[in-house]
Amino acid sequence: MMAVFLSGWAQAQGISCTPANKEAVLKKLEQIQGVPDSSFGEELISIGKSFLGTPYVAQTLEGNPAEALVVDLQGLDCTTFVENVLAFGLIRRKGTLAFDAFLDALEKIRYRNGMLNGYPSRLHYFTEWITDNQKKGLVRDITAELGGKEIRRTLDFMTGHRDLYTALAEEKYFEEMQRIEESISEEPLCVLPVEVLKENEHRLASGDIIALATSIDGLDVTHTGFAIRLPDNRIHLLHASSSGEVEISDLPLVDYLKKIRKNTGVIVARPVF
């Protein structure tokens, strides 16, 4: 296990965690002991709802001098919200509610093959995040089962916008990301169009991970969160919203998607345990 020092902003052997964030993790571990036993998806929703109101903070994983396992529960973007909820859900199911177990789960989810090995080892493109975590047995991509259609996309947004990613100033990281983009671009994407999603909404379950596909050049996904079925019997989105905080969408998912420019549908991954 990588060591963690908790003095100021700690960064030691690949882990970044403030004392306040370690305390936040410990409090969350206590809190989720009270989550009722249910399906894994419903348990993830209970954990996710415990984050309601947490501020949205963009690019929480960027900017470290070297790639580190960032532990930050005080500000979440859409991806780190999903990752943290899934990590807490996994260790709760395993009965290992401890700080080190949380770190292990978070690293397993966030990095290719579950191993932090520099900036390019992070699963930057969410479709690869789904594929890699499916190989680990943590999720199952059910997009095709719901009527999704295969499309071909060239994924090169990161290297095409190198100035947006500080780490890509290093040539070795830039070249490695180019190789990764070329590799993942060889695989087709399966996307569920909004009109097909509407017909199959009844087949979605609370706790399903919803990734919002896009037509933006070089990109696969612009946002992610969890499906949540509300008393209106419609699927809504539990997510870290760029409008300000972790929240549940007022609109059902189908209507929410219609307001997003360049949205082409969704990719759905069902967490498994």
Side-chain angles (χ1 to χ4, degrees):
M1 169 54 60
M2 295 175 285
V4 180
F5 299 112
L6 297 169
S7 175
W9 181 261
Q11 188 166 3
Q13 296 184 34
I15 295 179
S16 292
C17 183
T18 63
N21 273 305
K22 181 172 185 182
E23 183 63 26
V25 171
L26 296 176
K27 286 183 178 179
K28 187 66 68 177
L29 292 172
E30 291 181 8
Q31 186 178 13
I32 66 175
Q33 289 186 48
V35 169
D37 292 337
S38 185
S39 67
F40 190 37
E42 290 288 357
E43 291 173 7
L44 291 175
I45 289 299
S46 294
I47 295 169
K49 288 169 71 174
S50 75
F51 284 97
L52 287 171
T54 302
Y56 176 90
V57 179
Q59 295 187 313
T60 54
L61 305 185
E62 302 295 329
N64 288 306
E67 181 68 14
L69 181 67
V70 174
V71 178
D72 187 353
L73 301 190
Q74 297 178 305
L76 299 166
D77 61 28
C78 64
T79 300
T80 59
F81 171 62
V82 168
E83 291 177 337
N84 279 287
V85 169
L86 184 56
F88 280 117
L90 288 170
I91 63 172
R92 182 189 178 281
R93 278 267 166 146
K94 291 178 180 177
T96 53
L97 290 173
F99 184 71
D100 284 356
F102 172 73
L103 295 181
D104 286 343
L106 192 61
E107 181 181 8
K108 182 176 183 179
I109 291 164
R110 184 172 290 167
Y111 291 94
R112 189 175 299 103
N113 302 317
M115 297 292 293
L116 191 163
N117 185 26
Y119 183 80
S121 69
R122 195 190 328 151
L123 297 164
H124 296 276
Y125 288 91
F126 203 75
T127 47
E128 191 194 8
W129 186 101
I130 292 173
T131 300
D132 196 74
N133 279 295
Q134 180 165 263
K135 291 177 182 175
K136 298 166 191 164
L138 302 182
V139 303
R140 182 167 63 88
D141 189 338
I142 62 171
T143 312
E145 298 172 27
L146 297 171
K149 308 299 182 185
E150 283 194 354
I151 61 171
R152 291 281 177 177
R153 297 277 289 163
T154 298
L155 302 181
D156 58 4
F157 186 89
M158 290 182 67
T159 57
H161 298 79
R162 185 177 184 177
D163 57 311
L164 299 179
Y165 304 92
T166 305
L168 296 187
E170 289 197 40
E171 197 64 27
K172 65 177 182 178
Y173 291 154
F174 178 76
E175 292 176 356
E176 180 61 22
M177 280 308 307
Q178 282 185 315
R179 287 192 288 271
I180 290 167
E181 289 174 337
E182 289 172 4
S183 175
I184 60 180
S185 293
E186 293 175 359
E187 298 297 323
L189 305 183
C190 189
V191 176
L192 186 65
V194 177
E195 59 272 16
V196 183
L197 170 63
K198 186 175 181 179
E199 298 169 3
N200 289 278
E201 183 180 329
H202 64 284
R203 298 173 63 188
L204 294 179
S206 288
D208 286 346
I209 297 169
I210 307 294
L212 278 57
T214 184
S215 62
I216 295 172
D217 288 345
L219 200 55
D220 54 352
V221 165
T222 55
H223 192 55
T224 188
F226 291 98
I228 177 172
R229 191 173 296 279
L230 294 186
D232 61 2
N233 201 31
R234 299 295 306 279
I235 290 291
H236 293 246
L237 191 66
L238 171 59
H239 61 140
S241 171
S242 58
S243 64
E245 61 186 29
V246 176
E247 64 182 23
I248 299 171
S249 64
D250 291 329
L251 292 172
L253 177 62
V254 169
D255 300 317
Y256 176 86
L257 293 173
K258 291 175 182 177
K259 293 180 173 290
I260 299 176
R261 185 170 170 265
K262 295 195 174 183
N263 176 259
T264 59
V266 298
I267 303 162
V268 185
R270 180 160 292 169
V272 294
F273 184 86

